[in-house]
Amino acid sequence: MARLILFGPPGAGKGTQAVELSSRFTVPHISTGDLFRAAVSEQTALGVKAQGYLDRGELVPDELVIDMIRERLVQPDTQAGWLLDGFPRTVPQAHALDELLSSINQSLDRVVNLEVPDGFLLERLLGRGRKDDNEEVIRRRLQVYHDQTAPLIRFYGDRNQLTDIDGSAPVEDVTAAIQTALTAFFSQA
Ligand code: AMP
């Protein structure tokens, strides 16, 4: 059983590490970015609302994200744990997650914070070729990260729930560092 948040700036390698971690802990990987991209490509009501925000590199309004997560965390496959990737991304989202978890009698185990300097991120994101990866949108996403998302490092750090990992190391080293840190955490818990 593990309930984890994978945290970090855009381009830090959350998606790649999330795949490894969700298989290591056998928990579903819940990526709000993937859920929004699927909704946009299917043009669901949510997708239509979210599309402009994704295209501009802005955050989708908190209520829409929170509703989507609430629906996901009451499904049967998430009862034995989960890995959140890309959520929470604002302080209100983190408070909403707290309330949601307490209402369903669950608690967060750990937040893994992938630390990567901006210079690296820009280079990685430009090389990735996703639709929202043109330079102007990337710069906007990095700025949004620093303004609205980075304050969560303090939020979870103050609660001693944060594990910092050097996300600029080679992918396999990052995976190994996360697994070592989480194994140590769960063996003490
Ligand atoms: P990602 O794949 O995590 O980089 O997310 C891609 C885009 O989806 C972001 O730039 C936002 O527009 C939107 N998004 C994903 N997760 C969130 C969230 N927790 N809050 C608001 N917007 C989000």
Side-chain angles (χ1 to χ4, degrees), residues 79-100:
Q79 300 318 297
W82 33 257
L83 170 67
L84 298 178
D85 160 10
F87 179 90
R89 247 178 164 103
T90 64
V91 172
Q93 288 180 19
H95 284 296
L97 178 63
D98 279 347
E99 280 168 30
L100 169 62

Side-chain angles (χ1 to χ4, degrees), residues 112-155:
V112 174
N113 175 31
L114 296 181
E115 299 186 290
V116 182
D118 273 6
F120 262 73
L121 296 171
L122 198 61
E123 217 170 284
R124 274 195 197 167
L125 289 165
L126 281 169
R128 197 162 71 171
R130 214 166 73 183
K131 188 177 169 234
D132 55 351
D133 282 346
N134 73 65
E135 185 159 352
E136 186 192 339
V137 177
I138 289 172
R139 287 192 190 280
R140 181 72 193 125
R141 286 167 58 215
L142 288 176
Q143 190 193 339
V144 166
Y145 170 78
H146 287 294
D147 293 348
Q148 301 189 56
T149 307
L152 292 177
I153 295 173
R154 176 107 194 260
F155 179 93

Side-chain angles (χ1 to χ4, degrees), residues 32-33 37 54 58-60 65 86-87 89 93 130 141:
T32 45
R37 280 184 289 276
L54 268 80
E58 308 272 340
L59 295 183
V60 175
V65 191
F87 179 90
R89 247 178 164 103
Q93 288 180 19
R130 214 166 73 183
R141 286 167 58 215

Side-chain angles (χ1 to χ4, degrees), residues 163-180:
T163 295
D164 292 322
I165 300 285
D166 175 8
S168 63
V171 177
E172 308 77 49
D173 296 358
V174 177
T175 307
I178 296 174
Q179 301 212 348
T180 303

